[in-house]
Amino acid sequence: MVMLLRSCCRVLLPHIVTCRNHHVSAKGKRCLLSRLYQPRSLWEVKASETEAKPNEPTSKSQKLMIKAGLIRPSSPGCFHYLPFTVRAMEKLIRLIDKEMQDIGGQKIDMPTLSSAALWRQSGRWDLMGKELFRLMDRHNQEYCLGPTHEEAVTHLVASEGGINNKELPLLLYQITRKFRDEQRPCFGLLRGREFYMKDMYTFDISDESAYETYRNVCDAYTNIFRALGVRFVKVQADTGNIGGKMSHEFHLPANIGEDRLLVCGSCDFSANVELLQHNEKNCPVCTGQLKETKGIEIGHTFYLGTKYSHVFKATCYDSQKTPFIAEMGCYGIGVSRLLAASLEVLSKEDDIHWPGLIAPYQVCLISPKKGSKESEAITISETLYDEIIQSVPWLRDETVLDDRSYLTIGKRVKEAHMTGYPYIIVVGKKALETPSLFEVRSHNTDEVHFFSREGVIDFLQRVKVI
Amino acid sequence: MVMLLRSCCRVLLPHIVTCRNHHVSAKGKRCLLSRLYQPRSLWEVKASETEAKPNEPTSKSQKLMIKAGLIRPSSPGCFHYLPFTVRAMEKLIRLIDKEMQDIGGQKIDMPTLSSAALWRQSGRWDLMGKELFRLMDRHNQEYCLGPTHEEAVTHLVASEGGINNKELPLLLYQITRKFRDEQRPCFGLLRGREFYMKDMYTFDISDESAYETYRNVCDAYTNIFRALGVRFVKVQADTGNIGGKMSHEFHLPANIGEDRLLVCGSCDFSANVELLQHNEKNCPVCTGQLKETKGIEIGHTFYLGTKYSHVFKATCYDSQKTPFIAEMGCYGIGVSRLLAASLEVLSKEDDIHWPGLIAPYQVCLISPKKGSKESEAITISETLYDEIIQSVPWLRDETVLDDRSYLTIGKRVKEAHMTGYPYIIVVGKKALETPSLFEVRSHNTDEVHFFSREGVIDFLQRVKVI
């Protein structure tokens, strides 16, 4: 069988691309909702059908994300992320990257396959028990699927002969999939077996500088959660099987949360109930009343000390080349969990509310129904769409035209609210008046405005994207 | 033990971020080479020491990437990607995203853990043999680590009840880690056990439209390889254990390649030698002489037909709601392999050459040596750095200041060539003349220019980034 084909051997000048963002629609093409893969098979069914199997706990974010065509279960604790979710995840990752890099974080990428030898060296091969996914390769070498990477990163740094004075503090991080064989995965992306985590590992020469690094990372975490507009609590925490000298957890207060927190109504106090003695009802700081809330853990910081650097001999050198065992910290954010937890705390029962900055798309523009009185306004909606992406170029890839003109406006507005677009623009009857007026709904603040064409553009100028 | 902490419960207005790129240095901060994690422990050693163990094959890209502090081996066929490599990978991913989305591709993200049941349904659980990494969870359920996702995606699409007319053709893709338990992993990122792959899966309603989709994806591949400025060959290929009706491979011709290709010196003909009958020496099209070259496979396209859609019942509906079994295609690019293969074919023996567009950083600015005659120019180099990122804002995060002024200029220029910065600016003696002159070296074209301050800025204006 002779197989032959055209050759493409010409060496051409590189085709140059000037954009720096991920999702670039082809120029001049409209982003049509009818083309987007957002399976709606469940939109019409009763809520009960979107729920998990009997006895399987479920959560609001899980139900909404499945119903709105954002995720699909594949096996217990594992999900397909559909296009809307990937867009939101990429934005969340950009936000985290920015904050990590602003404090000097450098991004690396370590393998999922993690050799048993490393885990035996730290003593965690046995300690991790059934939560570790374990496997053997064709040569009967043992590996686990990394749930965290203290061993890997410390061994890496140590094997380079240590860290010189100028490189200190060294902050290495990655945003990769992690694996944990949960006994009972549940709540969708809130407690999965395969999930995205941002894990940072820091190396300092002294206690003092390590504490400063610890504070810097905590401040960056605060920036991230504030940028998302979610209410969060930071509490001191147990160091668990990670180990170390000090640890804090970041939680989003939510009924579905698996940690019980006590928050004082009168002062700044808050704590994980597990760590309080007896059954305290009053704040130990101001004696104000403690209110119990549950929390979803979205971040965890550890001051490790020399626990791992001692085992793997990771060394820092001062300006006189004197070696010191590195003081380490490790810092996690459950990235996919943070995404779902944000929806959990911000959404209404039937409508998703995204943190504005990471919504998959910022704007949904809804055209009139074909055959309706206002159907002549269909072309007006197309022109308005083109004007928006012309005048507000950063919304070029953020604006969806709901072109399903066989559906009523009402039905599409309802779906748009459910999907959670921060801004919904309806081209209805008033678009045929002189001058044209358009309804602009701000989903997250529940405001409705009628704007002229210029008013719409002015309004959208203030929408920020990442 | 009472644990209590400050609470951060205030709900603040979201902190707005306007940038859209990944790597944003804090404003006003200089990106100093002395701060970057690029372990240089091997830079001074003899080439032989960077080579693999006896009998383990090695490659130019592997040696250079290890020597220049870009990657580090963790276990056979698995590598840590260090910060420079992560930056290049992210750029390559942006390029691929752009091209995939320009042809209507929608990005999804499917789990690594892939249930054995799906693979049994397609018959590939046994067929894949030892190349599949297999494991069991705590409930003794069998999984593999997905090397490819035909089963998963077809099952996903089928379980949504099929694809309606308006959504067609449906092009879903992901860029994720894949796993293959190679008998003999080698050549660094060229043949690993854990690697990044872009895999796209397409669904069409007819043969005819499926062929059109196939051509569109091949064209997008051509755009990607051209944007990288690498010489490539497209040959018809065997469908192997993926199966289907038609298949092509994309290769970068290179001696280290594992496929033997025959390329005609007189016409467009090229073919994989495995697919030629006998031992042909002459081109079957023009009878010109065939020259043998080896190729590194970087892309593979398959027209699958209904092989998987039939098994999983993935259906398309036409405008009359008549169902058709979907005509599928699948399309891979080995992303981490493409990165390494580009270095393999572009680099010199001692110097890395990146495809300009995806170089980790575009510009390296080298300051004078402390204590040398031109040491007064150190402040000039800092000023020039600040002017560059001020006047060419897209180079803000692309310009490194080699502040290691304890080293000679010569040594740092040599290291900069080895790392492969496309543009190296040397602030030397001539910077102290009136007006100041700066040496600008274009690494990929081997040109050297002396420019004034304004000349440098003008020159850098034409550098494109992604």
Side-chain angles (χ1 to χ4, degrees), chain A residues 235-432:
Chain A
V235 298
Q236 196 159 336
D238 188 27
T239 55
N241 62 19
I242 300 272
K245 297 180 175 179
M246 184 172 77
S247 174
H248 293 91
E249 293 168 355
F250 292 79
H251 290 268
L252 301 194
N255 285 333
I256 201 79
E258 301 189 73
D259 288 81
R260 290 167 61 210
L261 311 173
L262 288 173
V263 179
C264 178
S266 314
C267 77
D268 260 0
F269 177 85
S270 66
N272 193 318
V273 82
E274 284 178 11
L275 299 170
L276 283 180
Q277 290 167 315
H278 317 302
N279 215 350
E280 294 186 55
K281 292 269 170 15
N282 292 95
C283 174
V285 174
C286 74
T287 73
Q289 212 181 342
L290 292 175
K291 206 180 150 190
E292 188 171 323
T293 177
K294 287 180 175 173
I296 305 171
E297 187 193 329
I298 46 163
H300 208 151
T301 56
F302 297 88
Y303 177 22
L304 295 169
T306 58
K307 180 180 155 123
Y308 295 92
S309 44
H310 182 76
V311 172
F312 294 100
K313 310 262 179 296
T315 308
C316 300
Y317 293 91
D318 68 7
S319 53
Q320 273 75 48
K321 309 226 166 167
T322 314
F324 296 84
I325 294 290
E327 293 286 325
M328 286 180 59
C330 74
Y331 308 87
I333 288 180
V335 181
S336 41
R337 178 187 281 180
L338 175 55
L339 185 141
S342 302
L343 298 194
E344 187 73 31
V345 299
L346 296 175
S347 297
K348 304 279 161 51
E349 208 51 49
D350 290 316
D351 289 344
I352 290 174
H353 285 255
W354 296 91
L357 198 56
I358 66 163
Y361 294 93
Q362 292 294 332
V363 181
C364 180
L365 197 155
I366 296 174
S367 63
K369 184 175 190 300
K370 226 175 234 169
S372 68
K373 281 181 210 159
E374 57 270 20
S375 65
E376 311 165 43
I378 288 180
T379 52
I380 297 181
S381 64
E382 291 167 351
T383 312
L384 180 63
Y385 180 96
D386 295 343
E387 284 175 354
I388 289 171
I389 62 175
Q390 181 81 33
S391 308
V392 196
W394 60 92
L395 295 182
R396 179 183 294 277
D397 183 46
E398 293 288 340
T399 305
V400 173
L401 179 61
D402 190 344
D403 58 329
R404 298 171 305 153
S405 53
Y406 54 92
L407 297 175
T408 62
I409 285 182
K411 186 173 164 50
R412 282 178 287 158
V413 168
K414 199 176 157 208
E415 282 191 7
H417 279 297
M418 187 186 166
T419 301
Y421 299 95
Y423 304 99
I424 301 164
I425 304 175
V426 181
V427 179
K429 264 185 295 199
K430 285 180 193 282
L432 293 172

Side-chain angles (χ1 to χ4, degrees), chain B residues 418-434:
Chain B
M418 186 184 167
T419 301
Y421 299 95
Y423 303 98
I424 300 164
I425 303 175
V426 180
V427 179
K429 264 184 294 200
K430 284 180 192 280
L432 292 173
E433 294 175 4
T434 310

Side-chain angles (χ1 to χ4, degrees), chain B residues 160-211:
Chain B
E160 295 308 323
I163 311 156
N164 79 46
N165 179 50
K166 289 234 176 192
E167 289 172 329
L168 290 169
L170 177 62
L171 291 73
L172 299 176
Y173 80 102
Q174 61 177 357
I175 299 177
T176 56
R177 292 191 200 192
K178 306 298 191 292
F179 298 82
R180 190 177 300 148
D181 196 357
E182 289 272 2
Q183 167 79 21
R184 261 177 104 227
C186 59
F187 301 147
L189 302 192
L190 290 178
R191 204 213 286 175
R193 300 202 296 174
E194 179 170 348
F195 50 91
Y196 278 87
M197 190 161 91
K198 187 283 301 173
D199 42 331
M200 177 178 261
Y201 305 92
T202 64
F203 300 83
D204 270 279
I205 201 161
S206 69
D207 252 47
E208 197 185 7
S209 66
Y211 276 111

Side-chain angles (χ1 to χ4, degrees), chain A residues 1 72 109 160 177 275, chain B residues 1 72 109 160 177 275:
Chain A
M1 194 168 49
R72 284 292 178 263
D109 196 338
E160 294 309 324
R177 295 192 198 192
L275 299 170
Chain B
M1 195 167 48
R72 283 293 176 264
D109 196 337
E160 295 308 323
R177 292 191 200 192
L275 300 167

Side-chain angles (χ1 to χ4, degrees), chain A residues 1 5 16-17 37 72 90 106-107 109 112 138 160 177 181 194 196 248 269 275 464-465, chain B residues 1 4-5 16-17 37 72 90 106-107 109 112 138 160 177 181 194 196 248 275 464-465:
Chain A
M1 194 168 49
L5 276 235
I16 292 304
V17 185
Y37 190 64
R72 284 292 178 263
E90 291 188 342
Q106 299 186 59
K107 199 170 185 180
D109 196 338
T112 294
R138 68 200 294 159
E160 294 309 324
R177 295 192 198 192
D181 196 357
E194 181 170 348
Y196 278 88
H248 293 91
F269 177 85
L275 299 170
K464 302 295 183 193
V465 296
Chain B
M1 195 167 48
L4 72 131
L5 279 235
I16 293 306
V17 185
Y37 190 63
R72 283 293 176 264
E90 290 188 343
Q106 300 185 58
K107 199 171 185 179
D109 196 337
T112 294
R138 66 197 297 156
E160 295 308 323
R177 292 191 200 192
D181 196 357
E194 179 170 348
Y196 278 87
H248 293 92
L275 300 167
K464 302 295 184 192
V465 295

Side-chain angles (χ1 to χ4, degrees), chain A residues 423-442:
Chain A
Y423 304 99
I424 301 164
I425 304 175
V426 181
V427 179
K429 264 185 295 199
K430 285 180 193 282
L432 293 172
E433 293 175 5
T434 310
S436 292
L437 282 182
F438 305 97
E439 184 181 336
V440 178
R441 293 164 165 260
S442 300

Side-chain angles (χ1 to χ4, degrees), chain B residues 110-169:
Chain B
M110 294 184 277
T112 294
L113 290 170
S114 197
S115 160
L118 277 182
W119 289 76
R120 291 214 168 89
Q121 208 172 332
S122 71
R124 290 208 290 178
W125 184 254
D126 295 325
L127 195 65
M128 294 294 287
K130 289 194 167 183
E131 295 226 327
L132 217 50
F133 277 109
R134 296 159 205 257
L135 73 164
M136 286 210 283
D137 71 6
R138 66 197 297 156
H139 306 297
N140 295 322
Q141 296 298 307
E142 287 176 299
Y143 293 88
C144 68
L145 304 183
T148 174
H149 287 70
E150 286 78 14
E151 286 82 357
V153 76
T154 315
H155 180 259
L156 167 69
V157 166
S159 65
E160 295 308 323
I163 311 156
N164 79 46
N165 179 50
K166 289 234 176 192
E167 289 172 329
L168 290 169

